[in-house]
């Protein structure tokens, strides 16, 4: 719900339900490792409260 308020429903649906098949080859070819494998998991981590509270 927070994302809907911040970005609007259409933007959230576009981000989370997109069928885009994106491969950041330049970054990964240079050794970059993503903390989250999907946009959805990154957004969930960003809006979730810290586990140690």
């Amino acid at each position: 719900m927070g994302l809907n308020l911040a970005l609007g429903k259409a933007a959230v649906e576009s981000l989370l339900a997109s069928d885009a098949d994106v491969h950041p080859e330049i970054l990964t070819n240079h050794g970059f490792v993503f903390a989250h494998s999907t946009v959805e998991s990154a957004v969930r981590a960003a809006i979730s409260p810290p586990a140690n509270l």
Side-chain angles (χ1 to χ4, degrees):
M1 179 174 223
L3 280 178
N4 283 338
L5 291 174
L7 300 175
K9 185 176 180 179
V12 171
E13 289 176 0
S14 175
L15 283 172
L16 300 180
S18 173
D19 288 337
D21 191 19
V22 178
H23 299 276
E25 292 179 26
I26 292 174
L27 291 172
T28 55
N29 287 346
H30 285 87
F32 186 86
V33 178
F34 288 90
H36 303 281
S37 61
T38 65
V39 171
E40 182 177 3
S41 67
V43 170
R44 287 187 191 280
I47 64 172
S48 296
N52 60 353
L53 289 181

